[in-house]
């Protein structure tokens, strides 16, 4: 999985779709994932900040993989959310939490299961920025202030020096304000590992700003929740973000080629120009 992400990152930013298994039944989740795959999303993240029942997580992952063909990365809110049907798990520590549970406790509980299932771990430092939403509250977070670049950089460097291979700046799912581009730029300038940004990226303009500021991977969840035509909504959104994502959309929506995993390196310049 990490190899898949890094290979795609060489061609431009990635988009991941977050699906919370608690918000719909597994069949509906699978249809959303299929539409996200058609629209050009690179992988599906499954998880949420409230403790889902393990069976629902498992069934959701299984159907998503079967229906969409996209890789599934677990985004666990706790140790119970581990599934044998996922390709990998964000092995994350909520670094600005005040709770030992979210720093290391849940991870200690879940590690033996991860070993047993032979799940690939993607070590990630998870940092919650104002407003923070549910994850800020549930995760007992000392929120990073939106204008406090020094603190954000210090946390991001801490993640990198610990050997974590991704940093995630999270404003909270459904946030009314996403992570400010200035904060993204500051963090990106300080670290050498891929930067994930999510929370409140409701418009393509906001996501574009995040990418321009240095986000390597953007995550959206709320954008496709309760939407009737996920394929079109997400396709239109991704088409506006970057040339490499435009190529993904072109391959899927225009060519009708939902085959995965995606290979943006195979899309030639002519394709991109034709739809610029
Ligand atoms: C939450 O960053 C993700 O962890 C997605 O946020 O639901 O606001 O897109 P949204």
């Amino acid at each position: 999985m990490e190899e898949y992400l890094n290979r795609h990152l060489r061609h431009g930013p990635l988009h991941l779709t977050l699906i919370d298994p608690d918000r719909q039944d597994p069949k509906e989740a699978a249809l959303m994932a299929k539409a996200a795959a058609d629209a050009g999303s690179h992988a599906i993240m499954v998880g949420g900040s409230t403790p889902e029942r393990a069976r629902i997580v498992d069934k959701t992952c299984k159907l998503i993989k079967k229906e969409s063909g996209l890789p599934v990365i677990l985004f666990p809110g706790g140790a119970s959310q581990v599934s044998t049907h996922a390709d990998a798990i964000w092995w994350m520590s909520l670094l600005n939490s005040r709770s030992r549970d979210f720093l290391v406790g849940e991870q200690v509980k879940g590690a033996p299961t991860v070993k047993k299932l032979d799940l690939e771990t993607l070590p990630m430092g998870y940092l919650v920025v104002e407003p923070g939403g549910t994850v800020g509250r549930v995760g007992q977070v000392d929120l990073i202030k939106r204008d406090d670049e020094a603190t954000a950089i210090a946390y991001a460097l801490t993640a990198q020096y610990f050997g974590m291979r991704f940093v995630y700046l999270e404003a909270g799912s459904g946030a009314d304000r996403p992570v400010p581009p200035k904060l993204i730029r500051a963090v990106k300038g300080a670290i050498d590992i891929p930067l994930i940004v999510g929370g409140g990226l409701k418009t393509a303009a906001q996501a574009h700003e995040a990418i321009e500021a240095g986000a390597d991977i953007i995550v959206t969840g709320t954008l496709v929740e309760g939407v009737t035509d996920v394929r079109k909504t997400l396709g239109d959104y991704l088409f506006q973000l970057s040339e490499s994502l435009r190529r993904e959309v072109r391959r899927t929506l225009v060519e009708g080629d939902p085959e995965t995993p995606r290979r943006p390196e195979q899309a030639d310049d002519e394709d991109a120009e034709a739809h610029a």
Side-chain angles (χ1 to χ4, degrees), residues 18 23 45 75 126 135 168-175 197-202 219-223 225:
L18 173 65
R23 301 255 167 102
M45 282 169 44
F75 182 54
Y126 191 45
V135 67
Y168 192 142
L169 290 176
E170 168 75 82
S173 184
V197 176
L201 295 170
K202 290 189 281 284
V219 182
T220 64
T222 308
L223 185 70
E225 278 174 14

Side-chain angles (χ1 to χ4, degrees), residues 17 23-24 28-29 31-33 35-36 39 202 220-237:
T17 298
R23 301 255 167 102
Q24 63 288 295
E28 211 179 311
L31 292 176
M32 279 165 72
K202 290 189 281 284
T220 64
T222 308
L223 185 70
V224 294
E225 278 174 14
V227 166
T228 39
D229 195 344
V230 170
R231 192 168 180 261
K232 174 149 182 19
T233 304
L234 198 54
D236 288 348
Y237 181 92

Side-chain angles (χ1 to χ4, degrees), residues 12-34:
L14 304 193
H15 175 264
L16 307 186
T17 298
L18 173 65
I19 295 182
D20 185 338
D22 244 7
R23 301 255 167 102
Q24 63 288 295
D25 70 38
K27 276 190 198 145
E28 211 179 311
L31 292 176
M32 279 165 72
K34 166 78 169 71

Side-chain angles (χ1 to χ4, degrees), residues 47-76:
S49 32
T50 45
E52 292 97 2
R53 288 147 296 162
R55 265 194 64 228
I56 294 289
V57 176
D58 220 34
K59 192 153 184 216
T60 301
C61 289
K62 187 177 177 185
L63 290 189
I64 285 176
K65 273 195 76 74
K66 189 168 161 233
E67 190 68 35
S68 73
L70 283 181
V72 172
I73 309 174
L74 292 167
F75 182 54

